[in-house]
Amino acid sequence: MNNQSFNLSNSVSSNRLVGLWRMLKGFRRLYFAAVLALAVGAAAKTGTLLLLRYLIDDVLLRDQIIQALIMIALSFIGLAVVEGAFTYLSGRWAAKTAEGIVLRLRNYLFDHLQRLTFAFHSKNSTGELIQRVTSDVNHIQRFFSEQAIGLGRIGLLFSINFAALLALNVQLALFSVIVVPVIGVVSMYFFTRISKSYEKYQEQEGKLSARLQENLTGVRVVKAFARQDYERNKFEVENLEHYKRGLNFMKGHAYYWPLTDLLSGVQQLAGYVVGAIMVMDGTISIGTYIAYIGLIIWIIEPMRGLGRIIVNASEGLVSYERVAKILREDREAITEGLSKLDKPLNGDMVFENVGFEYEAGQTVLNDITFSVKAGSSVAMLGSTGSGKTTLMNLLPRFYDYTSGQITLDGVALNLISREFLRANIGIVEQEPFLFSRSIRENITYGVGRHVEDSEVIAAAQAADVHDVIMGFPEGYGTLVGERGVTLSGGQKQRVAIA
């Protein structure tokens, strides 16, 4: 499915399983095919055990068995081939489904994050968002490739093998699944506990990622003030909390596995003993008992796995909720409003009693009134925190004013689309940001059309940086490095201006 043809925000649901089901849209047929292939493989495994029973109870008692042995041997080989082939197909199709979902989800999240409001990004740390797009998405991928398909496998193995056991002996079959409801109850109990522990663990991992990202971004400031020990201590505090939450999370696993293994082992051993007694009193044949041994293994072992999958599925469900919190956020309305003005853009700006609040009741700007004629230059002066940057952020509608009015050539600014405003307003931030690309790519960033080399050179000359650029071995093709680290502060500002 095309990544742009399905709005993943529509997959959000308060019920996490419903939300994950919606994420399967476009891949459901392939996923069902994987489950069906799994069913065929499971049936072939059961067929092998029933064929073994037939060999022992019927074939080996005959006088002429050579031809029958050849046919049974070929049947064993055929069943093994069927089991292997369909198990392979199931795994391949499940993996293709999981990877396809993750490909679409990551692409959508990347695009979605870029289109969210400035208010959203100001309230959420970069490290936490990276954690959700990487680690949490990986857990969703494992949910589809391992846990969901694993639940289907366990259900099929249990159903097929339990039906075969019923065909062999009803009493023995019913006795062999006494422990199944107990394992189910224990699994759900630990599922609830481990889900809460894992959610706390992931939250702390997000904080740890944010701390690391912030420190690496500001490493020059840290080194300049010799604050390595201070930053190390802060990181160790967060890391210790991460360790404590991880330890609490793993304790749930440590308690769960021995308990379910003990229950499963006791059930399996009891089944062997009861089956042996039934052989000795003639209730069942030796062939039936040998087939029973294989069948009960393929009932008990999946049930042991069921608990593990249910518990591990909690990670996928928690990660889905963390990703869903991003998907629930409304995108910034970029194209809403006028896409062009009735007359050519001139540039006259008028501020009339403009007010703004980041949060209700917390006034940042109040009753700001002034005008700027097209072609003129204006310097905004004021003390730190007086709202100069906030005022400038209102022009491209990074934020909308909460009172008063701003007009552009007589048209109210909030009636003009953000796309139009940002395409016609050039911005140089207080701290210039350059992408880890060539100087040419940074200069042409945001133009939205093919730019001739002559235009790039003209812009660089206007910013008085052309000669500096030509001094680099690669000229305009020079890579500036992450955040423009290969350029000086002044050079970065001039490239940003260009």
Side-chain angles (χ1 to χ4, degrees):
M1 176 179 285
N2 188 300
N3 291 330
Q4 303 301 322
S5 63
F6 178 51
N7 183 357
L8 278 170
S9 293
N10 295 331
S11 70
V12 174
S13 171
S14 57
N15 186 310
R16 299 177 186 183
L17 289 175
V18 171
L20 288 165
W21 167 254
R22 290 175 180 172
M23 276 190 179
L24 265 177
K25 186 176 181 180
F27 296 95
R28 288 170 187 163
R29 289 184 180 179
L30 186 62
Y31 206 62
F32 284 144
V35 174
L36 183 61
L38 199 59
V40 176
K45 169 65 73 176
T46 303
T48 302
L49 296 171
L50 295 177
L51 185 61
L52 180 63
R53 177 209 178 205
Y54 172 70
L55 171 65
I56 295 171
D57 285 349
D58 296 327
V59 176
L60 294 180
L61 298 178
R62 299 177 185 176
D63 294 330
Q64 302 294 328
I65 64 171
I66 299 300
Q67 186 175 0
L69 285 176
I70 292 174
M71 292 301 297
I72 287 178
L74 291 175
S75 297
F76 275 125
I77 294 172
L79 288 170
V81 170
V82 170
E83 180 187 356
F86 279 90
T87 300
Y88 163 76
L89 288 174
S90 174
R92 176 170 179 168
W93 290 338
K96 187 174 181 180
T97 297
E99 293 299 333
I101 290 172
V102 167
L103 173 66
R104 184 173 66 184
L105 179 57
R106 277 217 179 97
N107 284 341
Y108 186 87
L109 280 173
F110 181 81
D111 182 60
H112 188 63
L113 283 169
Q114 293 184 101
R115 298 176 187 276
L116 295 181
T117 64
F118 276 72
F120 171 83
H121 286 285
S122 66
K123 295 176 182 178
N124 293 273
S125 69
T126 302
E128 174 68 19
L129 295 177
I130 291 174
Q131 173 78 8
R132 298 191 184 199
V133 178
T134 53
S135 177
D136 285 313
V137 170
N138 284 338
H139 281 101
I140 293 175
Q141 184 268 338
R142 282 198 289 273
F143 177 85
F144 285 112
S145 66
E146 298 174 11
Q147 283 122 40
I149 197 71
L151 285 172
R153 175 179 178 273
I154 287 170
L156 289 168
L157 283 172
F158 179 83
S159 301
I160 293 172
N161 287 291
F162 184 61
L165 271 182
L166 288 172
L168 293 179
N169 187 282
V170 174
Q171 290 180 331
L172 189 58
L174 294 175
F175 176 79
S176 301
V177 295
I178 292 175
V179 77
V180 171
V182 180
I183 292 178
V185 172
V186 171
S187 298
M188 292 309 299
Y189 170 73
F190 277 95
F191 169 80
T192 303
R193 290 192 58 185
I194 289 177
S195 293
K196 294 177 180 178
S197 298
Y198 180 71
E199 189 163 7
K200 293 179 180 178
Y201 176 75
Q202 282 293 87
E203 287 176 0
Q204 185 59 28
E205 190 165 337
K207 292 179 181 179
L208 196 65
S209 297
R211 174 68 62 192
L212 180 61
Q213 183 269 338
E214 182 183 61
N215 189 263
L216 292 177
T217 302
V219 67
R220 287 165 182 77
V221 176
V222 175
K223 295 173 74 69
F225 290 93
R227 298 288 281 173
Q228 289 93 333
D229 290 341
Y230 172 76
E231 292 296 334
R232 182 196 65 205
N233 291 335
K234 288 176 66 178
F235 181 82
E236 287 179 353
V237 169
E238 297 287 2
N239 200 25
L240 179 61
E241 181 62 24
H242 182 260
Y243 162 78
K244 290 178 179 177
R245 295 189 183 189
L247 189 62
N248 186 51
F249 171 58
M250 293 309 298
K251 278 181 181 179
H253 285 267
Y255 291 141
Y256 175 78
W257 307 137
L259 180 57
T260 54
D261 285 349
L262 177 62
L263 292 172
S264 300
V266 169
Q267 174 70 81
Q268 200 165 337
L269 179 60
Y272 291 159
V273 171
V274 171
I277 292 173
M278 295 178 75
V279 171
M280 288 186 288
D281 65 17
T283 304
I284 62 174
S285 65
I286 294 177
T288 298
Y289 180 65
I290 291 176
Y292 167 76
I293 290 175
L295 291 171
I296 194 174
I297 289 174
W298 285 102
I299 285 180
I300 297 301
E301 288 300 319
M303 290 311 300
R304 293 173 66 188
L306 173 64
R308 289 180 170 86
I309 287 177
I310 288 177
V311 171
N312 289 335
S314 65
E315 299 176 9
L317 294 175
V318 169
S319 291
Y320 164 79
E321 181 58 32
R322 285 167 54 81
V323 169
K325 287 180 180 178
I326 297 178
L327 297 177
R328 288 190 184 100
E329 295 290 333
D330 293 327
R331 295 187 176 193
E332 190 177 40
I334 296 294
T335 59
E336 188 177 278
L338 299 174
S339 59
K340 61 180 180 179
L341 302 183
D342 294 334
K343 54 186 178 180
L345 183 63
N346 186 38
D348 291 328
M349 301 290 304
V350 177
F351 289 71
E352 299 177 12
N353 309 115
V354 173
F356 176 74
E357 298 176 346
Y358 284 109
E359 300 288 345
Q362 299 179 2
T363 302
V364 178
L365 299 175
N366 183 42
D367 198 25
I368 305 296
T369 301
F370 66 95
S371 61
V372 181
K373 291 293 182 182
S376 62
S377 298
V378 175
M380 306 298 297
L381 301 177
S383 60
T384 302
S386 60
K388 301 183 297 298
T389 301
T390 299
L391 189 63
M392 293 300 100
N393 284 339
L394 299 181
L395 298 181
R397 291 188 64 190
F398 291 158
Y399 300 93
D400 281 331
Y401 47 88
T402 52
S403 64
Q405 182 173 260
I406 302 175
T407 61
L408 171 61
D409 290 344
V411 180
L413 204 65
N414 56 10
L415 297 180
I416 305 173
S417 71
R418 294 176 175 86
E419 185 177 49
F420 177 83
L421 289 171
R422 294 171 192 180
N424 288 279
I425 296 176
I427 300 173
V428 179
E429 297 282 353
Q430 288 173 300
E431 299 178 8
F433 180 93
L434 298 182
F435 290 94
S436 182
R437 303 170 189 172
S438 69
I439 293 176
R440 188 188 194 283
E441 288 178 293
N442 275 284
I443 291 176
T444 59
Y445 190 80
V447 176
R449 61 174 177 82
H450 175 71
V451 182
E452 299 293 339
D453 289 343
S454 58
E455 295 179 88
V456 177
I457 292 172
Q461 288 174 334
D464 196 23
V465 73
H466 173 71
D467 293 338
V468 173
I469 295 173
M470 295 308 297
F472 295 125
E474 301 296 327
Y476 283 87
T478 302
L479 293 176
V480 300
E482 186 177 10
R483 298 179 65 87
V485 294
T486 57
L487 303 178
S488 69
Q491 290 169 344
K492 283 194 291 186
Q493 288 180 333
R494 292 186 179 279
V495 169
I497 291 171

